[in-house]
């Protein structure tokens, strides 16, 4: 019989972390899940409302840089698996204020690694015992690989790191720390590097929820530069499914790219969201009364709100994930196409105004 797991999910009140927690608890209902989150601007405990009453769920407000706190949680809840999402992740913010990115993404990851090594390896050894069964899974990004030209092949797990922003540099550093703790100390780790996520609970400063909420308020839809920056997009629940496979089937010490082979230029995403929003207003009469400010979408002209703005400093041109290793080795296949995922995302935001209206 497989032993039930006890997971510590850092950043579990954030966008991807919360979606992972909800997915894991639905699909692994006998496992204990402890969320550690500092509830900074992008962390929202309301994201976890549907599992708060579950006796196998615990929420702890705290900082991953607090190493003694992490050690105590690993011991108190007999945690055998850390899934590390906690990170500062917005590139624009990293350009104007990089200090928080260095503190959380590098020092925070180091703090977790120290705590994990002490509880899972050092303390048992000091008692003459074998290290505890464990896994430290580190969630990273495709941005550590740098930028691609239009015709370059997609990033593989062997692509050299070439980060171009303070955000991606801090994530690259954390990836290297995780690797070093495996090779130096024997910590059992895996790392996943994922493409851009979208879906429910996405903080409204990010592209897709920003476009949706701006349309609802008839505000301009800002598009950087010429809008031809290309990103690989993945529905957030498909990301959670990929991490589950890495945890259950992935090889210790390995990196796995998780993506959907789904590249889109930013301007085409904005136009697609506009088209879908026009469709929703045309086919759901109640929306006109619920969102009376959305006059362009009500008129079927959401694209008229598109506004080109000065490009971001050092803006990477293209990211693309080659997830062949994950597809082949772990049998990972995303369940949502971009169009189905976008439709689900739009409907979620239309139905959950109470969640996002306080955040914009």
């Amino acid at each position: 019989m497989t032993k039930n797991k006890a997971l510590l999910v850092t950043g579990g009140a954030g966008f991807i972390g919360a979606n992972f927690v909800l997915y894991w608890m639905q699909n692994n209902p006998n496992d204990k899940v402890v969320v550690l989150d500092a509830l900074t601007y992008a962390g929202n405990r309301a994201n976890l409302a549907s599992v708060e009453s579950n006796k196998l769920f615990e929420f702890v407000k705290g900082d991953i840089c607090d190493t003694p706190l992490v050690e105590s949680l690993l011991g108190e809840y007999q945690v055998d698996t850390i899934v590390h999402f906690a990170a500062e992740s917005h590139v624009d913010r990293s350009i104007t204020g990089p200090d928080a990115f260095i503190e959380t993404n590098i020092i925070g990851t180091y703090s977790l690694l120290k705590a994990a090594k002490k509880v899972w390896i050092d303390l048992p050894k000091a008692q003459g015992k074998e290290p505890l069964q464990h896994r430290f899974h580190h969630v990273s990004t495709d941005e550590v690989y740098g930028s691609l030209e239009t015709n370059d092949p997609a990033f593989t797990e062997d692509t050299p790191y070439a980060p171009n922003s303070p955000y991606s540099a801090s994530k690259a550093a954390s990836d290297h720390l995780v690797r070093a703790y495996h090779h130096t100390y024997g910590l059992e780790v895996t790392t996943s590097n994922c493409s851009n996520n979208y879906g429910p609970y996405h903080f409204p400063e990010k592209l897709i929820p920003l476009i949706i909420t701006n349309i609802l308020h008839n505000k301009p839809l800002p598009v950087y530069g010429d809008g031809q920056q290309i990103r690989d997009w993945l529905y957030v629940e498909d990301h959670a499914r990929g991490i589950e496979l890495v945890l259950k089937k992935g090889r210790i010490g390995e990196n796995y790219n998780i993506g959907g082979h789904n590249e889109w230029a930013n301007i085409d995403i904005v136009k697609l969201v506009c088209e879908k929003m026009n469709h929703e207003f045309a086919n759901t009469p109640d929306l006109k009364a619920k969102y009376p400010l959305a006059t362009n979408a009500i008129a079927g002209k959401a694209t008229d709100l598109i506004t080109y703005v000065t490009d971001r400093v050092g803006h990477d041109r293209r990211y693309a994930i080659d997830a062949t290793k994950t597809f082949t080795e772990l049998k990972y296949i995303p369940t949502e196409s971009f169009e189905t995922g976008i439709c689900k995302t739009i409907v979620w935001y239309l139905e959950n105004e109470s969640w996002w209206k306080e955040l914009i």
Side-chain angles (χ1 to χ4, degrees):
M1 181 179 294
T2 303
K3 178 179 177 291
N4 294 333
K5 291 184 177 296
L7 283 70
L8 177 66
V9 181
T10 72
F15 163 49
I16 303 178
N19 275 283
F20 172 80
V21 168
L22 300 181
Y23 172 85
W24 190 274
M25 296 194 74
Q26 180 179 358
N27 290 277
N28 302 274
N30 297 317
D31 290 349
K32 179 77 175 180
V33 175
V34 181
V35 167
L36 175 62
D37 199 296
L39 295 181
T40 56
Y41 78 97
N44 187 346
R45 192 162 176 176
N47 298 353
L48 300 166
S50 64
V51 295
E52 287 276 8
S53 62
N54 190 313
K55 65 181 181 180
L56 292 176
F57 174 80
E58 295 286 343
F59 180 87
V60 178
K61 183 179 179 181
D63 192 331
I64 58 172
C65 293
D66 185 347
T67 310
L69 171 62
V70 177
E71 291 174 5
S72 70
L73 294 176
L74 295 180
E76 178 181 356
Y77 294 106
Q78 296 185 299
V79 170
D80 55 31
T81 304
I82 292 175
V83 187
H84 177 33
F85 291 97
E88 296 285 345
S89 64
H90 195 255
V91 175
D92 286 353
R93 288 176 182 260
S94 82
I95 293 169
T96 57
D99 288 11
F101 290 74
I102 304 305
E103 181 71 18
T104 298
N105 299 355
I106 301 177
I107 304 303
T109 301
Y110 174 54
S111 168
L112 291 170
L113 290 165
K114 283 195 299 180
K117 174 178 174 287
K118 180 177 178 179
V119 173
W120 289 338
I121 297 176
D122 296 344
L123 291 178
K125 281 187 175 180
Q127 298 169 0
K129 300 176 182 178
E130 291 295 314
L132 299 177
Q133 183 178 3
H134 66 268
R135 174 75 67 88
F136 187 110
H137 182 72
H138 177 57
V139 182
S140 190
T141 172
D142 57 0
E143 295 191 41
V144 298
Y145 299 122
S147 183
L148 295 169
E149 296 299 325
T150 303
N151 295 318
D152 286 344
F155 302 129
T156 72
E157 290 81 358
D158 296 322
T159 299
Y161 278 26
N164 290 323
S165 70
Y167 161 59
S168 56
S170 67
K171 289 298 290 184
S174 66
D175 291 9
H176 291 319
L177 282 170
V178 172
R179 173 185 169 88
Y181 262 69
H182 170 62
H183 285 278
T184 303
Y185 303 113
L187 196 69
E188 298 193 350
V189 309
T190 44
T191 295
S192 56
N193 297 79
C194 189
S195 52
N196 282 27
N197 281 209
Y198 67 98
Y201 304 109
H202 204 176
F203 196 74
E205 71 182 358
K206 299 301 180 82
L207 177 63
I208 290 173
L210 177 69
I211 297 306
I212 294 170
T213 55
N214 276 18
I215 288 173
L216 295 176
H217 289 84
N218 220 49
K219 293 181 178 179
L221 310 180
V223 176
Y224 280 128
D226 61 5
Q228 293 301 319
Q229 300 86 2
I230 294 173
R231 300 292 183 263
D232 183 15
W233 291 87
L234 185 68
Y235 190 64
V236 66
E237 188 172 289
D238 281 328
H239 186 188
R241 185 174 293 105
I243 293 173
E244 179 185 41
L245 285 170
V246 174
L247 287 171
K248 293 183 175 181
K249 299 181 179 180
R251 289 179 288 137
I252 300 301
E254 290 292 312
N255 285 48
Y256 293 92
N257 282 348
I258 301 177
H261 292 167
N262 179 43
E263 294 183 53
W264 282 71
N266 284 350
I267 186 60
D268 294 331
I269 291 174
V270 175
K271 289 178 178 178
L272 177 65
V273 173
C274 287
E275 174 191 325
K276 298 299 183 184
M277 291 289 280
N278 289 341
H279 178 81
E280 289 294 329
F281 274 89
N283 291 276
T284 311
D286 292 349
L287 288 179
K288 297 176 184 178
K290 186 176 182 180
Y291 298 106
L293 296 179
T295 53
N296 277 59
I298 290 170
K301 297 180 179 180
T303 53
D304 289 354
L305 296 170
I306 293 173
T307 304
Y308 291 90
V309 299
T310 302
D311 207 353
R312 177 169 42 194
V313 175
H315 202 170
D316 289 341
R317 195 63 173 170
R318 174 176 168 245
Y319 306 140
I321 282 280
D322 182 343
T324 299
K325 175 181 176 180
T326 309
F327 290 177
T328 302
E329 190 172 314
L330 306 182
K331 310 305 180 187
Y332 170 71
I333 300 175
T335 61
E336 299 292 341
S337 70
F338 194 53
E339 289 220 7
T340 62
I342 282 290
C343 289
K344 284 187 174 183
T345 301
I346 288 172
V347 168
W348 188 88
Y349 277 88
L350 291 173
E351 294 179 349
N352 288 274
E353 181 187 15
S354 61
W355 179 86
W356 55 259
K357 68 179 180 180
E358 301 299 327
L359 303 176
I360 62 174

